[in-house]
Amino acid sequence: NAGVTQTPKFQVLKTGQSMTLQCAQDMNHEYMSWYRQDPGMGLRLIHYSVGAGITDQGEVPNGYNVSRSTTEDFPLRLLSAAPSQTSVYFCASGKGHSNQPQHFGDGTRLSIL
Amino acid sequence: EDKVVQSPLSLVVHEGDTVTLNCSYEVTNFRSLLWYKQEKKAPTFLFMLTSSGIEKKSGRLSSILDKKELSSILNITATQTGDSAIYLCAVGTSGTYKYIFGTGTRLKVLA
């Protein structure tokens, strides 16, 4: 009964490096999303997906790419890391089309030097 | 532009006090309003309110949705130190199926 699993939990990058944050869910949820959480800013939506092969942009998509090749996985790619991307990243999943809440992973704390 | 605003931003109370947290929203195609509690890590789900379920209660926590005023309140009675957390409000929209979050209210309960 894993729920939503995010890896890694912590990561330090240098400016300009690229990396992928992993997110997997085992609840067969159609809807998956990525948020970033910064002090005083709440959770801001980066990208989301309503099913395999379908993705769309949220409020703050610049500098991030996503893909959804399977129902279970929704990786978030930082193309060229910048200090402004230092944040805590949360992945969430839900049943999407029905009125059901999202379930969150434990987050990835990312620091860009 | 869709917007969710929470107030107050932070709150310090003593154990046993009653607190009321506020959430107001301006979104197109409102579908649902959700409350989450966030302690150290992931937000955990508290309540979901919709047009067909405007009032929810669980123990010392309760929440009401006012669709006319486009707002919701979260009440916590007889607060305990374990209630210390950030409380997040999110609004779900139909059509795009996005969730818009407010900035959260940081609650600290002193013993």
Side-chain angles (χ1 to χ4, degrees):
Chain A
N1 192 18
V4 180
T5 303
Q6 289 184 236
T7 56
K9 293 191 184 329
F10 304 94
Q11 184 71 49
V12 179
L13 292 178
K14 294 181 180 178
T15 298
Q17 287 185 312
S18 62
M19 82 158 293
T20 299
L21 307 186
Q22 301 291 344
C23 176
Q25 53 93 6
D26 60 359
M27 297 172 281
N28 201 32
H29 285 164
E30 301 96 337
Y31 184 95
M32 295 186 75
S33 54
W34 276 102
Y35 296 88
R36 59 178 289 173
Q37 187 173 34
D38 302 296
M41 300 290 288
L43 288 166
R44 291 185 292 169
L45 182 64
I46 304 172
H47 286 285
Y48 67 102
S49 169
V50 298
I54 306 169
T55 64
D56 206 347
Q57 297 181 350
E59 304 169 70
V60 288
N62 292 340
Y64 307 95
N65 269 358
V66 292
S67 59
R68 184 93 181 271
S69 55
T70 67
T71 299
E72 294 79 19
D73 300 299
F74 190 43
L76 177 72
R77 297 181 188 84
L78 278 71
L79 308 173
S80 177
S84 61
Q85 293 178 304
T86 293
S87 188
V88 180
Y89 291 84
F90 287 100
C91 178
S93 74
K95 288 188 177 179
H97 288 232
S98 59
N99 273 338
Q100 296 291 327
Q102 294 183 94
H103 300 262
F104 283 84
D106 284 341
T108 294
R109 185 173 293 274
L110 183 62
S111 293
I112 315 294
L113 305 177
Chain B
E1 183 183 337
D2 295 337
K3 187 167 61 174
V4 177
V5 177
Q6 291 186 246
S7 63
L9 292 180
S10 64
L11 192 56
V12 180
V13 301
H14 289 91
E15 271 193 322
D17 288 349
T18 293
V19 298
T20 299
L21 310 183
N22 300 284
C23 176
S24 62
Y25 60 90
E26 294 177 30
V27 301
T28 52
N29 299 317
F30 172 88
R31 180 166 63 117
S32 57
L33 186 144
L34 298 86
W35 285 97
Y36 287 87
K37 178 182 181 183
Q38 185 179 25
E39 295 176 90
K40 298 288 187 189
K41 294 184 177 178
T44 54
F45 172 72
L46 294 174
F47 299 119
M48 173 180 275
L49 304 162
T50 67
S51 299
S52 58
I54 62 171
E55 191 165 350
K56 294 287 175 71
K57 183 176 171 61
S58 176
R60 297 178 294 105
L61 277 67
S62 62
S63 183
I64 297 173
L65 175 68
D66 187 336
K67 285 208 71 180
K68 185 178 176 184
E69 296 295 326
L70 306 183
S71 65
S72 174
I73 60 170
L74 175 68
N75 276 327
I76 308 175
T77 60
T79 52
Q80 302 170 357
T81 54
D83 295 326
S84 296
I86 297 173
Y87 290 85
L88 296 164
C89 172
V91 173
T93 61
S94 57
T96 61
Y97 302 102
K98 289 196 291 189
Y99 293 88
I100 310 298
F101 278 80
T103 55
T105 293
R106 184 180 294 271
L107 174 65
K108 186 172 180 64
V109 181
L110 303 175

